[in-house]
Amino acid sequence: MIKIAAIADVHFSEDSRGRFRAHWSGLHEVADILLIGGDLTTHGAANQAAVLAQELEVVKIPIIAVLGNHDYHAGQEDKVRSELERKGIAVLEGEHAIFTVNGKTVGIAGTKGFGGGFAGACGSAFGEPEMKSFIYYTEQLAMQLEESLRVMQADYRIALLHYSPVKETLAGERLEIYPFLGSYLLAEAIDTAGADLVVHGHAHHGAEKGRTARGIPVRNVALPLLGCAYALYNLEKFNQVSHQPSNPAIIYPID
Amino acid sequence: MNSDYQYLVGELQHVLATDQRVNMLDIKVIVRNGKIYLIGQVPTEQRRNAVEGVVLELLPGAEVRNELTVLEIKTPRQPENIHD
């Protein structure tokens, strides 16, 4: 069994300092890894990411994050990523990371993802260049996610996103904005390559639990939805073939 | 600025999303009987005040009902067991 802590949409700014420190300082006692599903900052300023990175210094377990739409707003997403990475936080976009936990390998494939909507009520790459770009972007990120999952050999396989892959975890949001909250293409990528758990954020007023079409559990861990500093998931596989890491992108062994 | 209801709500939501003192996309704005209601959750008291301030900058003298609440971060729940 591996113990996963997950949160998203913390939206850090300069006045967020100290809000989470007490909650996060004991994480190593209840979890093996911490996943952060995007919208790390309020508007994507590097100094906001620096405040978050400093707040996360109290966390003694591996931290893996993806960026969210807010993290791109200021055009400093590379700097946002750098501020976190220089404090040892893995930030994934179309990449995966593999960790060893209690003798088992845990792989996380991460992407922000994007929108477009869900089967039956979704956009298509048709019409104006801007519309085609919108859908092509999601298609590209979904393809990268599928490839990351496909090559990732690990005992436990997790997909970490910001945008949602399913409609279920959007229940409670207004239907009119579903196309801006996620895309079925992300679920299709995950179902094609396989995973044990999907974690995402973005939908502050959605629902926590859902499943992909092939039954992979999906969890929406947006902070406004959870109302607490993280959610905890004990992930266990009874039908398991042991995987030793093979040509992974990154390996961080846990001491 | 067009004061028709839907345009006013749209403009308010636009400024609340793009003003760097707020940058929030999920604040509910209702205009009713000449009053502007702001509903939703914000992370801090400073942000709550900033939302009202941004609205009043756009609409000086408007009657604002600030019903935003500050998100209180609770203790995490017990773990959920997920297995194949």
Side-chain angles (χ1 to χ4, degrees), chain A:
Chain A
M1 179 177 75
I2 59 162
K3 297 176 287 183
I4 299 160
I7 189 67
D9 300 81
V10 294
H11 290 281
F12 256 59
S13 61
E14 292 78 359
D15 64 4
S16 303
R17 203 180 300 273
R19 280 187 81 211
F20 289 82
R21 186 168 285 259
H23 295 284
W24 286 343
S25 60
L27 262 175
H28 59 282
E29 296 173 2
V30 295
D32 298 313
I33 58 174
L34 171 62
L35 306 178
I36 311 181
D39 277 2
L40 313 175
T41 63
T42 301
H43 63 257
N47 61 339
Q48 295 176 339
V51 176
L52 173 61
Q54 191 174 41
E55 194 89 344
L56 286 166
E57 283 178 352
V58 298
V59 177
K60 304 280 186 275
I61 53 178
I63 306 170
I64 307 93
V66 293
L67 300 185
N69 56 310
H70 279 245
D71 303 317
Y72 277 70
H73 182 68
Q76 299 178 20
E77 59 273 15
D78 289 342
K79 292 181 182 174
V80 167
R81 181 168 175 160
S82 295
E83 286 290 343
L84 297 162
E85 287 179 333
R86 68 188 187 89
K87 293 285 187 147
I89 298 159
V91 181
L92 305 176
E93 181 49 68
E95 303 150 291
H96 68 273
I98 298 182
F99 301 79
T100 303
V101 175
N102 301 328
K104 298 291 185 185
T105 51
V106 182
I108 299 103
T111 181
K112 175 177 59 67
F114 199 50
F118 300 90
C122 57
S124 296
F126 179 82
E128 303 93 327
E130 290 81 2
M131 186 63 206
K132 287 191 270 194
S133 291
F134 184 104
I135 301 301
Y136 284 155
Y137 181 48
T138 305
E139 288 179 351
Q140 178 193 7
L141 296 181
M143 276 181 358
Q144 290 171 356
L145 176 65
E146 182 182 328
E147 184 59 19
S148 288
L149 284 167
R150 193 191 300 279
V151 302
M152 186 173 77
Q153 293 191 27
D155 298 314
Y156 294 89
R157 295 150 50 77
I158 300 168
L160 177 62
L161 292 72
H162 181 60
Y163 285 73
S164 177
V166 297
K167 284 195 295 187
E168 274 183 280
T169 48
L170 303 184
E173 296 278 5
R174 292 184 63 164
L175 284 174
E176 299 96 312
I177 65 170
Y178 275 27
F180 305 106
L181 295 176
S183 168
Y184 80 94
L185 293 169
L186 300 170
E188 189 175 25
I190 293 163
D191 274 340
T192 300
D196 300 308
L197 175 66
V198 184
V199 170
H200 74 86
H202 196 38
H204 294 191
H205 305 291
E208 184 186 353
K209 298 183 184 180
R211 283 191 180 271
T212 65
R214 291 193 182 164
I216 298 172
V218 178
R219 296 294 179 263
N220 178 356
V221 295
L223 170 63
L225 169 63
L226 295 182
C228 50
Y230 51 86
L232 288 170
Y233 304 108
N234 291 338
L235 188 60
E236 191 152 21
K237 292 176 71 169
F238 298 112
N239 302 306
Q240 188 170 273
V241 175
S242 180
H243 284 280
Q244 294 306 305
S246 171
N247 195 26
I250 312 167
I251 295 182
Y252 298 94
I254 295 177
D255 294 325

Side-chain angles (χ1 to χ4, degrees), chain A residues 43 204 219 227 232 234 236, chain B residues 23 26 74 80 82-84:
Chain A
H43 63 257
H204 294 191
R219 296 294 179 263
L232 288 170
N234 291 338
E236 191 152 21
Chain B
N23 282 139
D26 61 342
K74 303 186 198 66
E80 177 191 353
I82 298 175
H83 59 84
D84 57 357

Side-chain angles (χ1 to χ4, degrees), chain B residues 21-34:
Chain B
R21 291 166 289 179
V22 177
N23 282 139
M24 293 187 71
L25 279 68
D26 61 342
I27 292 174
K28 192 169 183 179
V29 178
I30 296 174
V31 179
R32 185 173 296 154
N33 297 328

Side-chain angles (χ1 to χ4, degrees), chain B residues 50-66:
Chain B
V51 170
E52 184 170 339
V54 165
V55 170
L56 286 171
E57 275 183 16
L58 191 66
L59 298 168
E63 194 170 347
V64 177
R65 293 282 189 265
N66 188 343

